[in-house]
């Protein structure tokens, strides 16, 4: 009889252990299910796409901040320009002004810290971000198409390029270039800003 009681006890303990493990697994699954059930806002999705777009264009801006005329293929590029690969881009929300800044950070040297070169990098950012938009469109049309793709604010069955929502997005999204002579530093040596649909300033 004792052997039977012992066997029953062992089976009961095993069943309890399996039940606890099953409950734990169910709880783990439930939190994932809960997270999957949470709706992502159009802003969340848009920022995800924005950050991907910025990561794609990082390599296109550095050539505006270095004099490469004396570089030859026979020497080590990394040894001649050890900091040239320090470049990145990111987005940041400024709650005070309710603006979304698309920021490009680049190391620059000497005359390449001047405003005209900052503006050149800014212009490269503009062109690179809309590079896969139909080039036959105007600057304003391409900027609108880019933002409407990132933040789906217009009705999918219309082709309204003058929507109020897109107008507001054009004002709310700001491009910003930060040039640093060296890092780390708190403040950039040069900063310039502009909107996606703006034309570059005329050279004086």
């Amino acid at each position: 009889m004792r052997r039977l009681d012992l066997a029953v006890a062992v089976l009961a303990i095993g069943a309890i252990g399996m039940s606890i493990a099953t409950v734990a697994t169910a709880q783990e699954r439930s939190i994932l299910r809960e997270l999957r059930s949470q709706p992502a806002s159009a802003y969340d999705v848009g920022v995800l796409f924005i950050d991907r777009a910025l990561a794609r264009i990082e390599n296109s801006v550095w050539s505006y901040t270095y004099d490469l005329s004396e570089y030859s293929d026979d020497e080590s590029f990394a040894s001649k320009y050890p900091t040239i690969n320090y470049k990145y881009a990111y987005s940041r929300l400024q709650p005070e002004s309710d603006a979304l800044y698309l920021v490009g950070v680049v190391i620059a040297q000497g005359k390449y810290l001047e405003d005209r070169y900052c503006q050149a990098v800014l212009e490269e950012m503009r062109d690179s971000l809309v590079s896969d938009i139909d080039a036959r469109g105007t600057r304003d049309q391409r900027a609108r198409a880019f933002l409407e793709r990132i933040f789906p604010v217009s009705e999918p069955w219309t082709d309204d390029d003058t929507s109020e929502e897109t107008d507001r997005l054009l004002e709310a999204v700001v491009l910003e270039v930060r040039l640093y002579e060296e890092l780390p530093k708190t403040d950039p040596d040069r900063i310039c800003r502009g909107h996606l649909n703006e034309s570059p300033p005329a050279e004086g």
Side-chain angles (χ1 to χ4, degrees), residues 54-64 84-85 87-89 124 128:
L54 289 173
R56 177 173 53 84
I57 71 167
E58 285 176 349
N59 288 331
S60 65
V61 298
W62 60 262
S63 61
Y64 288 86
I84 201 165
N85 286 323
K87 57 191 180 302
Y88 61 93
E124 179 65 19
S128 297

Side-chain angles (χ1 to χ4, degrees), residues 160-178:
D160 183 7
D161 287 336
T162 59
S163 67
E164 180 183 351
E165 291 84 357
T166 308
D167 288 339
R168 293 163 61 192
L169 274 173
L170 285 169
E171 289 298 318
V173 175
V174 181
L175 303 184
E176 177 177 290
V177 169
R178 297 182 169 210

